[in-house]
Amino acid sequence: MNLLEDEWLSVIRLNGEQEKLKGLWRITEGVGNPIVDVISPRADFKGALYQLLIGLVQTSFAPKNETEWEKYWIAPPDTNTLKNAFLTVTEAFSIDTDKPAFMQDYDLLSDKQDVDIASLLIDTSGGGTFFVKEGTTENISPYWASIALFTLQINAPSGGSGHRTSLRGGGPLTTLVLPDETKQAASLWQKLWLNIFTQKEVSALSGNTELKDLHNIFPWLAPTRTSEAGKKDFITQPEQGHPYQMYWGMPRRIRLDFKATEAGTCDISHESTEQLISQYRTKNLGVNYSSTWLHPLTPYVRDPNKEAYSVKAQVGGFSYRHWLGLVLEDEKNHKQAAKVVQIYLNSRQEIIAGDYQPRLWLFGYDMDNMKARCWYETTMPVFPIPQDSRISVQGFISRMLDAATEVALDVRSTLKQAWFSKPKEVKGEISFTDAQFWQLTETEFYRLLAQLINHCEDEQQVNDLFNQWKKILRKEALTLFDHWALSSNNEDGDMKRVVIARRQLEIWLNAGKNIKALVA
């Protein structure tokens, strides 16, 4: 079985028709009725499938330069061209051989104890699961077991003694640039190609482009670089692998067990399959990637006094308050957008030009060590920002976000004053009000941000936009306070306390440090 050649991946076309592709090179087939998306049984698998296809195209069909990138943006390669490219790496995508197999350890690990297949899923822990009822995932088709394995390898959280995290660290956030679909649906090819680097751009990524042998890209094609303490090359550095290995990092030593398989229904896809996999074998001390690998699809925190680390999903998810560090650069918090976003803003937006409004698709697990607390994904706009205006725009956005953060904290603080006679002694968080505040102000933030980018050189216009933002923050803050002040959270319904707290909120809304700083 081979992921590139076999018929297993379902897709949907522009007219709504669904089909299975026999050969992944068919993703560009049907110019008049293109494929627009993949069909996935799980949200995390969909994110992984996009990364698999992006990695496949990047690895085997990277454009030589921006001219070639533009050529294939305008018109995708035909099926035969893409097939010839994909077949150069087909050996890396076999899944059921005793020889090297996709994302599986080079050794068979036959001396290791079998583990239930459900443990491949990140949202499982021991015998129970967080999002899926125990016992409902016992048998998986070979193809979806392979995608589960790929999902684990590229996101691997802490896994106990010697079970390594992913190349990006445990539970990294992934950010992909998606095409403008305000006028018509984009093809799957456009969604992938917008995240592809030219060969020149690849040379600036982490890794050693001189290491061209396939095992330097797909680590399962050679004996595993194990990471026993004290061993030479205990940590795998960028100079010891090709940049493309970042798409195919393999920190976990795992072999799927194909021996005791039979026909039946896959518990993931609910489709009939000739084979089912119910267990796998694993061993610790796999590839231990250094923090100096900077994955091009992930934003990073790059504090000059610390090692870089990937931005993670977090409790409460993402909103416009994170926009600066995910699209541009949040200097205050040392957050830097993923390289793929930087390349779009520095190059692709000029190539595409026109009235084009792409989006950023971000997704990932919120992890508590080995436990998956939640899967988060959302999209946010990516505005075209001229390079010569970027620094000033970043500064303006930072001030808008600082003011909003200050107001959200003011609302939370005054609500506690309204609810409790001794608010400082109250235990527990009421941060749910923060999430509501960010949601209430999000649409207006993006509306003003679009105008700010267009008028960032006009001081009067900027000040006018800042004043609009102040009014929006004030209105939504008071609305939120009034909504919750006399709710069941109020311990005794004391109106005097509510009135005093509201008056305090109004004072802060007028005199807050970051509110007053909203001046061009």
Side-chain angles (χ1 to χ4, degrees):
M1 286 180 279
N2 190 287
L3 288 175
L4 295 192
E5 300 175 325
D6 297 352
E7 186 177 307
W8 65 275
L9 180 62
S10 295
V11 296
I12 185 168
R13 292 192 177 274
L14 182 61
N15 67 356
E17 292 179 354
Q18 298 181 13
E19 64 179 275
K20 280 191 177 181
L21 298 182
K22 185 170 179 57
L24 293 187
W25 46 80
R26 291 183 56 209
I27 55 175
T28 60
E29 190 177 71
V31 176
N33 185 26
I35 294 168
V36 295
D37 210 349
V38 297
I39 299 173
S40 172
R42 289 170 53 105
D44 58 344
F45 283 13
K46 183 170 183 177
L49 286 170
Y50 266 80
Q51 290 180 81
L52 184 146
L53 292 170
I54 288 169
L56 175 59
V57 173
Q58 183 69 69
T59 302
S60 63
F61 196 70
K64 295 177 182 178
N65 48 43
E66 290 184 343
T67 300
E68 191 166 88
W69 188 94
E70 183 179 16
K71 170 187 174 182
Y72 290 119
W73 170 255
I74 295 171
D78 60 56
T79 301
N80 286 334
T81 299
L82 208 55
K83 179 179 181 179
N84 290 334
F86 285 6
L87 290 181
T88 63
V89 297
T90 189
E91 65 180 282
F93 291 85
S94 294
I95 62 177
D96 65 338
T97 64
D98 287 343
K99 297 176 182 179
F102 178 73
M103 280 286 167
Q104 298 177 56
D105 196 78
Y106 192 80
D107 296 328
L108 296 180
L109 308 182
S110 55
D111 59 333
K112 295 290 135 184
Q113 186 176 2
D114 292 324
V115 181
D116 290 341
I117 197 67
S119 295
L120 270 188
L121 305 175
I122 293 176
D123 52 19
T124 65
S125 176
T129 66
F130 291 91
F131 307 131
V132 185
K133 290 183 179 179
E134 184 174 354
T136 59
T137 307
E138 298 178 347
N139 299 286
I140 308 179
S141 80
Y143 300 106
W144 288 114
S146 298
I147 297 305
L149 176 56
F150 178 66
T151 305
L152 174 63
Q153 297 281 27
I154 63 175
N155 295 288
S158 299
S161 178
H163 290 277
R164 306 303 182 192
T165 60
S166 83
L167 180 144
R168 295 177 267 185
L173 185 70
T174 299
T175 58
L176 303 180
V177 183
L178 295 182
D180 184 355
E181 293 189 289
T182 56
K183 298 174 184 175
Q184 63 181 24
S187 68
L188 176 61
W189 174 257
Q190 288 178 313
K191 294 173 182 177
L192 302 178
W193 196 244
L194 207 50
N195 295 279
I196 298 300
F197 298 92
T198 66
Q199 292 176 23
K200 181 179 179 180
E201 290 161 351
V202 168
S203 65
L205 301 179
S206 304
N208 184 353
T209 54
E210 296 299 314
L211 301 176
K212 300 183 185 299
D213 291 341
L214 284 184
H215 71 266
N216 291 307
I217 296 172
F218 306 107
W220 57 90
L221 296 180
T224 301
R225 290 177 58 88
T226 56
S227 52
E228 295 87 350
K231 177 185 175 183
K232 183 181 179 182
D233 294 338
F234 164 70
I235 298 177
T236 298
Q237 305 288 348
E239 58 266 25
Q240 295 166 320
H242 192 279
Y244 290 157
Q245 188 170 152
M246 289 188 285
Y247 295 90
W248 311 106
M250 193 184 74
R252 299 291 182 88
R253 303 189 67 185
I254 289 173
R255 289 294 302 204
L256 300 177
D257 184 359
F258 286 84
K259 292 180 180 178
T261 61
E262 57 183 21
T265 301
C266 172
D267 290 334
I268 293 288
S269 66
H270 305 295
E271 296 176 326
S272 297
T273 177
E274 295 180 0
Q275 282 185 294
L276 289 167
I277 298 178
S278 60
Q279 54 196 22
Y280 66 92
R281 296 179 297 278
T282 187
K283 188 176 183 179
N284 63 358
L285 304 176
V287 184
N288 188 15
Y289 293 99
S290 78
S291 62
T292 51
W293 290 91
L294 300 178
H295 196 288
L297 304 182
T298 287
Y300 280 84
V301 177
R302 303 193 68 182
D303 187 328
N305 300 316
K306 300 177 182 178
E307 289 186 347
Y309 60 92
S310 60
V311 174
K312 310 291 195 298
Q314 54 194 277
V315 175
F318 291 88
S319 72
Y320 74 85
R321 72 187 187 276
H322 304 102
W323 189 90
L324 191 59
L326 296 175
V327 177
L328 294 173
E329 182 176 1
D330 182 354
E331 294 183 356
K332 182 182 298 183
N333 296 301
H334 307 290
K335 291 182 179 178
Q336 192 173 82
K339 179 62 75 172
V340 69
V341 184
Q342 297 177 42
I343 291 295
Y344 173 80
L345 290 173
N346 293 337
S347 167
R348 307 298 188 258
Q349 70 175 8
E350 294 181 5
I351 293 174
I352 297 171
D355 182 18
Y356 200 77
Q357 182 59 72
R359 296 159 294 140
L360 192 66
W361 177 25
L362 47 148
F363 52 84
Y365 274 107
D366 169 28
M367 302 297 303
D368 179 11
N369 290 321
M370 290 183 282
K371 295 181 180 180
R373 290 184 291 207
C374 191
W375 169 263
Y376 288 108
E377 66 174 293
T378 190
T379 61
M380 53 181 59
V382 179
F383 297 102
I385 306 173
Q387 290 197 43
D388 56 0
S389 304
R390 208 162 292 169
I391 293 177
S392 59
V393 168
Q394 285 179 193
F396 293 149
I397 296 171
S398 183
R399 273 185 265 175
M400 291 176 70
L401 294 177
D402 285 346
T405 301
E406 180 179 66
V407 172
L409 291 173
D410 291 344
V411 172
R412 191 199 312 177
S413 178
T414 51
L415 277 174
K416 289 184 75 172
Q417 292 176 33
W419 287 343
F420 307 109
S421 57
K422 296 180 180 180
K424 292 183 179 180
E425 297 179 10
V426 176
K427 296 181 180 180
E429 277 293 325
I430 63 165
S431 56
F432 64 89
T433 61
D434 292 1
Q436 280 191 295
F437 177 78
W438 294 114
Q439 185 176 12
L440 286 169
T441 52
E442 184 167 55
T443 300
E444 288 297 286
F445 172 80
Y446 286 132
R447 180 182 68 82
L448 294 179
L449 176 55
Q451 295 181 44
L452 181 67
I453 292 168
N454 291 330
H455 302 288
C456 61
E457 303 300 328
D458 187 328
E459 184 175 326
Q460 184 175 342
Q461 285 274 16
V462 171
N463 282 326
D464 178 61
L465 293 169
F466 280 170
N467 285 327
Q468 289 185 52
W469 185 233
K470 288 179 189 178
K471 291 177 182 178
I472 291 163
L473 294 179
R474 177 183 174 82
K475 173 180 176 292
E476 298 301 346
L478 292 172
T479 298
L480 197 58
F481 179 91
D482 292 343
H483 174 77
W484 285 105
L486 289 174
S487 69
S488 58
N489 294 286
N490 192 312
E491 63 181 3
D492 54 17
D494 188 329
M495 278 300 299
K496 181 179 179 180
R497 201 170 56 234
V498 171
V499 170
I500 293 172
R502 194 181 197 277
R503 192 175 299 151
Q504 179 63 65
L505 177 58
E506 289 177 332
I507 291 171
W508 285 344
L509 290 174
N510 291 326
K513 174 185 175 183
N514 292 321
I515 287 288
K516 294 174 75 173
L518 279 177
V519 179

